[in-house]
Every structure is written in structure tokens, then in C-alpha cells.
Amino acid sequence: MKTIFHHIKGDKAIWAIVTILAIFSFMPIYSASTNLVYVVGNGSTLGHLVKHIVLLLTGFAVIYGVHKIPYRYFSGGSALMLPVVVLLLIVTLAQGTTIGGANASRWIRIPFVGIGFQTSTLAGLVLMVYVARYLAKNKEKLIDFKESLINLWLPVGLVLVLILPANFSTTAIIFFMVLLLSFIGGYPLKFIGYILGIGLFAFLFFILVAKAFPDAMPNRVNTWKSRIENFSKSDGKEDYQVEKAKIAIATGGVVGKGPGKSVQKNFLPQSSSDFIYAIIVEEYGFVGALVVVFIYFLLLFRILITAKKATTIFATLLVIGVGVPIVFQAMINMAVAVNILPVTGQTLPLISSGGTSIWMTCFALGMILSVSASKNETEETILDDNPLDILHETID
């Protein structure tokens, strides 16, 4: 046991929090997967649990592998990965909007393995590291808005435009996080205002194009519109998922019905992914709901401590850029489940089922732990790294 801990570096509290979330997820996943088994007719509850455990184990392998990489590699690596991510997003969009009746414009199928991969999740992660790299490189410089439009906002805009047709909520989260990171990284507030204006104009233009050419992007704008309308209506007509989630939460009480005893899991679609928090509240009650919220805020606290202790500007921005979105996504998922926000399709990190979400969350955590494990990096050793030199070192 001592040998295992000897190889684990970085913030031990983050390791502990992630382990607690992962272990806690077993029972809700096992319980909530009954909807997939008995309603959808997909597999067995034990099979879904085993799959989830395997995904988490591979996720922990990702954390371990990534946290052993010196974080300076992520700076140049993001510049190398950005064109790859753009290409993957184009392929994802080009494959069409439905496969077997399901929306597939968010996913590509990994050859030979047969696993779906959500490219927007990878894109968001790479983009946040790229933005951190740009801000760190220009921290001591007087930023020229035109130059930043080409080197910073053009890549950001391109990625967001490619994600938007299939996934508005992810686009909005990434855009908000990029603006937040830019503000923290010292990008002029006036320029952030310009970018916000450009972003809103581009979004309105997208809606007009989607309305004018409905065959190009079938049902997307209508889906967003109906979700917002259903959320804001006061006449009692609600989305079926929201209605069942409300029942689950209302019947949970203070301590819940007990592990595995949820009733609404049999009726609630996405009970093991988007709406798993409602099942947690039903089974573990108000107490369980608060404990989950507390654990995520504890993770945020440790992320911010890691950012504060970082020895370079890039490390600080990297930790905030890839760490804060994890907790932000968790808050959105829980807010949707309790009907504070309209349905978005965001999963609960490390608890919901879903390979891409788990792997990308683990990759981000690995980067944060890489920073917390590093003591001797300087700004020069990181930002002077040429992406091609990194590629050459990696191949060697």
C-alpha cells in the first residue's frame, strides 16, 4: 500500500475527493440504470454498474498517467491539439444529425472499440488550456485587440461555431468560462465587452440562419425554444423529465427512501446521467443532496488552493481553466434536476454514467494534480516551449 501512495503525487485532498465521488457513484448508477434495463430494454443493472466501474478505473488510470506529465507539456500540446480538435468537430457534424433515430451530431464512434465519443468535451478542455497559454504568454504585454482577435478569439470562435449546432449548453458554458479565464488572466475588460457583444450577435445570426434553413439544422432551435418555454411557463405544463425529477425530489424527504429504493428511476429518462441528482435526492434525501453539493465545493476549494500555490502564471490559469468548469458543470446539472435551470443535457461529473465525461474530467484532474506536484517550473521553461519541440521530445 505504501508503494502505491509513493507513486501518487500532487494534492492528496483532490485524490481523496475524486475517490469518494467515484465510490459514491456506484449505488446511484446501479439503482438508476433500471430505467435503461426495463424501459429501454438495454442490458442489465449489474452490466451497467460493471461498465461504469470500468470507465472509472480507466479514468483513474488517465489521472495517474496525466499527473505524471510535467504540466509545461500541456502548453505546447494545446497548440498541437487545436487543429485536431477542429477536424474532429467537423467530422462529427458531417456525419449527420441522427443515427438509428438518435441525435448523433455530438458523437463520433471510436473504430474497433465501438464506444461513442463526445468531441465537444475534448474540444472544451483543449480550448481552455490554449486560452491559458495565450494569456500567460501575453501577461506582461500590452494586448492589441486586432492581434488577439486572430491568435485568441478566432480559434475560440471556430471551436464554438462547430459545437453550437448540436450542443448549445456546452457552447454557452465554454464561452462563459473562456471569458472568466480571460478576465482572471488580465485580458482588458473593455475588450471582453467587445467579445461578449460579438458573441451575442453571432448567436442571433446563427438562430436566423437556422430558422431560414430548417433542413440544415433540424429541430435544434425549436428544441432550445421549447425547453425555455416549458421552464418559464406557470400553467403547470412541464417537460416530462422535469415533472418526474420534481416528484423524486419531493418524495425524498430529509433522509431519503434508502439506497436503491427510488420509484421515479423507473419513469425518469436519463435517470443515470442528466437527472441522476434527482435519484440521489429521492434515495438519500436532503442530507444526501447537501453532502454531494459540499463535496463539489470542497473540490472547488482545493482547485483554488492549487491555483494559488502554483509557481507560474500559466499553471494558475491552467488549473482555473480546466478545474472550475468541472464544478460549474456539476452545479448546472444539480440546478436542472431541482428545476432552477431549464434542461441542458449536462452530466454530473464523476457520478453520472458516460465514458467521455468521465475521461475528460479525469484528464482535467490529472493536469491539476500535475501542477500541484510540480515545484520547480518557471514561466520561461513553459512559455518558451515550441509545440514542435514538445512533439519531438514526446516521439523520442
Side-chain angles (χ1 to χ4, degrees):
M1 186 64 72
K2 190 176 179 181
T3 310
I4 294 171
F5 286 116
H6 178 72
H7 289 287
I8 292 174
K9 307 294 183 184
D11 191 307
K12 296 296 190 293
I14 292 178
W15 278 106
I17 291 165
V18 172
T19 304
I20 289 166
L21 283 171
I23 293 171
F24 172 78
S25 73
F26 294 172
M27 196 62 215
I29 286 291
Y30 181 71
S31 175
S33 62
T34 54
N35 183 275
L36 290 170
V37 177
Y38 299 113
V39 179
V40 182
N42 179 8
S44 66
T45 50
L46 182 61
H48 286 290
L49 175 61
V50 170
K51 180 184 175 184
H52 181 69
I53 292 172
V54 169
L55 288 171
L56 282 172
L57 288 173
T58 55
F60 271 86
V62 169
I63 295 177
Y64 181 80
V66 173
H67 104 291
K68 288 288 188 179
I69 301 170
Y71 74 84
R72 65 188 181 90
Y73 285 107
F74 304 131
S75 173
S78 66
L80 286 172
M81 279 298 295
L82 203 59
V84 177
V85 159
V86 169
L87 184 62
L88 286 173
L89 288 172
I90 291 170
V91 170
T92 308
L93 273 180
Q95 71 180 359
T97 54
T98 57
I99 292 178
N103 184 350
S105 53
R106 300 181 184 191
W107 305 81
I108 56 173
R109 189 68 59 182
I110 301 174
F112 309 114
V113 187
I115 298 173
F117 188 84
Q118 194 166 346
T119 48
S120 59
T121 314
L122 172 63
L125 190 61
V126 171
L127 196 60
M128 295 309 294
V129 181
Y130 179 83
V131 172
R133 170 187 168 85
Y134 176 87
L135 293 169
K137 283 176 80 76
N138 292 276
K139 180 66 178 171
E140 304 302 326
K141 299 176 186 175
L142 186 66
I143 292 179
D144 178 69
F145 184 61
K146 290 181 180 177
E147 178 272 332
S148 69
L149 275 178
I150 296 168
N151 292 321
L152 175 61
W153 297 111
L154 183 63
V156 169
L158 182 59
V159 169
L160 293 181
V161 163
L162 291 170
I163 296 173
L164 180 59
N167 200 332
F168 167 69
S169 60
T170 299
T171 307
I173 290 169
I174 294 172
F175 185 53
F176 176 76
M177 283 295 150
V178 167
L179 291 180
L180 178 65
L181 190 62
S182 300
F183 173 72
I184 293 168
Y187 190 76
L189 194 58
K190 178 175 69 173
F191 295 166
I192 291 175
Y194 294 162
I195 295 301
L196 186 58
I198 293 169
L200 290 173
F201 176 79
F203 178 59
L204 291 173
F205 180 74
F206 172 82
I207 290 175
L208 288 172
V209 171
K211 285 286 188 183
F213 304 98
D215 292 337
M217 282 164 283
N219 304 323
R220 295 314 302 161
V221 175
N222 290 337
T223 301
W224 305 338
K225 185 182 174 185
S226 65
R227 282 179 177 177
I228 294 169
E229 284 178 349
N230 289 336
F231 175 75
S232 58
K233 277 179 184 175
S234 58
D235 60 3
K237 184 184 177 184
E238 290 179 329
D239 184 277
Y240 177 79
Q241 294 182 107
V242 175
E243 182 190 340
K244 294 303 176 187
K246 273 187 168 184
I247 295 169
I249 290 164
T251 55
V254 178
V255 293
K257 294 179 176 180
K261 294 180 180 177
S262 164
V263 174
Q264 296 308 314
K265 66 186 180 184
N266 298 308
F267 308 103
L268 182 59
Q270 309 297 328
S271 58
S272 62
S273 53
D274 299 358
F275 282 89
I276 197 166
Y277 189 64
I279 305 303
I280 290 170
V281 178
E282 187 182 3
E283 294 188 348
Y284 299 91
F286 182 68
V287 174
L290 280 183
V291 168
V292 172
V293 173
F294 174 74
I295 292 171
Y296 279 113
F297 272 109
L298 200 59
L299 177 60
L300 177 63
F301 178 65
R302 295 309 307 181
I303 286 168
L304 295 177
I305 285 177
T306 302
K308 191 173 185 298
K309 286 183 176 178
T311 56
T312 65
I313 294 166
F314 172 71
T316 299
L317 294 174
L318 173 70
V319 170
I320 292 171
V322 303
V324 172
I326 296 172
V327 182
F328 189 65
Q329 182 183 326
M331 295 303 117
I332 288 175
N333 174 279
M334 291 185 278
V336 168
V338 299
N339 203 34
I340 294 173
L341 290 175
V343 177
T344 60
Q346 297 297 318
T347 55
L348 192 57
L350 297 171
I351 294 180
S352 292
S353 61
T356 310
S357 174
I358 290 171
W359 292 336
M360 290 301 106
T361 300
C362 289
F363 202 102
L365 290 165
M367 286 194 276
I368 293 165
L369 289 165
S370 172
V371 171
S372 69
S374 174
K375 306 294 179 190
N376 303 316
E377 295 285 8
T378 64
E379 212 71 56
E380 290 73 22
T381 60
I382 295 163
L383 300 177
D384 288 345
D385 269 344
N386 185 301
L388 294 177
D389 291 341
I390 289 175
L391 182 64
H392 185 261
E393 281 185 45
T394 306
I395 293 169
D396 288 347

